[in-house]
Amino acid sequence: MKKRVVVTGMGIVSPIGNSLSDYAKNLKNMEIGIDRISSFDTSNLPVKIAAEVKDFKPEEYMDKKLAKRLDRFSQFALAAARQAVEMSGISFEGIEERVGVLVSSGMGGFLTLSEQNDVLKERGPERVSPFLIPMILINMASGVIAMEFGLKGPNFTPVSACATSVHSIALGSMLIRHGYADVVLVGGSEATIAPLPIAGFASMKALSTRNDEPKKASRPFDKLRDGFVMGEGAGVLVLESEDFAKNRGAKIIAEIKGFAMNDDAHHFSAPDPEARGSSKAMRMAIEDSGILTEDIDYVSCHATSTPAGDEVELKAIENVFGDRVRNIFVNSTKTLTGHLLGAAGVVETIAAIIQMNNGFVHGMPNLEELDGPDYFNIPRKTTETNIRNFVKNSFGFGGHNASLVVGRYE
């Protein structure tokens, strides 16, 4: 019999708040974290906007010496992990070998790589940092979390572009279900707001160029959407087996009820226009959860604000839920945070858990004219509602699809 997997802690670093309380407040108030880029000169770039993390102080979460040896994405990850562990109230003493870490990233230490490449060109190879390699490794976020907390259980990092943190949640849940671990810290982190990634995504025509109206640039499902807005941040969940959490008297805040993963096998970056893979992933996740489609009240979408992706996801949702799309709430947190790439899935899962536990769905402030059937229930304003269970979707370049079913613990 497979073990039930529950959530006991959450931590967040995001463009709309670096604590759960701030994040929750700003979700409900529909605060938009997108603005002109402040961290470097954008004068020669076609895109000048992003959703940057503000007022982040790594020394609040780690030793200053360690902070200097970590890329920004690893700093974010460790900060989110500390928050999640503190919320869970867990002590790792005596259980170190039964605690795993799966905290992932789509692109890893890109800021360090870019900076050190400049050092190489301008000052020569002897001035390149000896910490370059460990700082850029995508698995270093999981590694440093394990080292800081002394965790000796399964530790690895799936890499699947923008689906990667939902893959981490699913794989961490598998470890618990099948008895390989009692506790797993899961999530994702990303910090790639830099000239080269901006230029690369812009060359693909993937980014919004609404430079003069940054607050209106991320507009999932809207007819005037013209691409996504790059964001940064991290999210971490503490997952435990139900028995382990109950035995230590933990407060359980949600349950990971089901998950599924597949691939479109269609195109480098474009989704299957028939939504076959994404539809199948949702169906499999619901089947895995043991509940019915009638028990789902909300879909937290991947919806990045790209023309093709948003359209296909609405098609997939209708394929799965049929006429029930009139009653299920649908939204995308990227309207507020931009697209956090490898961290998007977990940051949005945390948003969905907050909404479920506080009885609301946040609105979509930039949805002026829906590019799709008008019977979809996509709120423009924050709306009070009762959410029993939700589906969280994440999709990544390479055709990766990942879906979760998360619900109230009963």
Side-chain angles (χ1 to χ4, degrees), residues 37-45 195:
I37 293 171
S38 63
S39 56
F40 57 88
D41 180 12
T42 63
S43 59
N44 65 338
L45 293 171

Side-chain angles (χ1 to χ4, degrees), residues 8-64:
T8 60
M10 304 191 295
I12 191 84
V13 175
S14 84
I16 60 168
N18 299 331
S19 69
L20 282 177
S21 58
D22 286 346
Y23 187 55
K25 178 186 69 176
N26 290 328
L27 283 172
K28 194 165 190 176
N29 293 338
M30 301 188 302
E31 295 290 337
I32 296 172
I34 299 164
D35 212 328
R36 302 275 292 193
I37 293 171
S38 63
S39 56
F40 57 88
D41 180 12
T42 63
S43 59
N44 65 338
L45 293 171
V47 173
K48 306 178 189 300
I49 56 175
E52 295 175 297
V53 168
K54 305 163 191 73
D55 302 319
F56 176 72
K57 298 178 176 63
E59 61 273 13
E60 293 181 358
Y61 305 96
M62 67 202 76
D63 179 81
K64 287 184 179 181

Side-chain angles (χ1 to χ4, degrees), residues 11-180:
I12 191 84
V13 175
S14 84
I16 60 168
N18 299 331
S19 69
L20 282 177
S21 58
D22 286 346
Y23 187 55
K25 178 186 69 176
N26 290 328
L27 283 172
K28 194 165 190 176
N29 293 338
M30 301 188 302
E31 295 290 337
I32 296 172
I34 299 164
D35 212 328
R36 302 275 292 193
I37 293 171
S38 63
S39 56
F40 57 88
D41 180 12
T42 63
S43 59
N44 65 338
L45 293 171
V47 173
K48 306 178 189 300
I49 56 175
E52 295 175 297
V53 168
K54 305 163 191 73
D55 302 319
F56 176 72
K57 298 178 176 63
E59 61 273 13
E60 293 181 358
Y61 305 96
M62 67 202 76
D63 179 81
K64 287 184 179 181
K65 186 175 180 180
L66 175 62
K68 290 180 180 180
R69 296 180 176 184
L70 297 179
D71 184 86
R72 185 170 168 88
F73 94 100
S74 291
Q75 293 176 353
F76 286 167
L78 183 53
R82 287 204 184 282
Q83 292 179 39
V85 169
E86 182 178 349
M87 180 181 183
S88 75
I90 194 168
S91 168
F92 298 120
E93 186 176 357
I95 62 166
E96 297 91 340
E97 295 183 0
R98 298 289 299 167
V99 184
V101 187
L102 280 75
V103 176
S104 56
S105 181
M107 299 174 72
F110 210 102
L111 296 185
T112 296
L113 183 63
S114 179
E115 291 166 0
Q116 291 300 307
N117 188 54
D118 290 342
V119 170
L120 173 65
K121 290 187 294 184
E122 296 168 9
R123 301 170 65 189
E126 67 279 358
R127 302 310 297 268
V128 169
S129 171
F131 298 104
L132 167 64
I133 301 304
M135 287 175 76
I136 67 174
L137 293 176
I138 294 177
N139 65 298
M140 195 50 62
S142 280
V144 74
I145 290 168
M147 286 181 269
E148 285 296 288
F149 291 104
L151 309 178
K152 300 179 180 179
N155 189 306
F156 59 97
T157 301
V159 179
S160 50
C162 303
T164 189
S165 57
V166 168
H167 276 136
S168 292
I169 297 170
L171 292 169
S173 299
M174 282 185 189
L175 291 175
I176 292 171
R177 267 191 184 181
H178 299 292
Y180 294 100

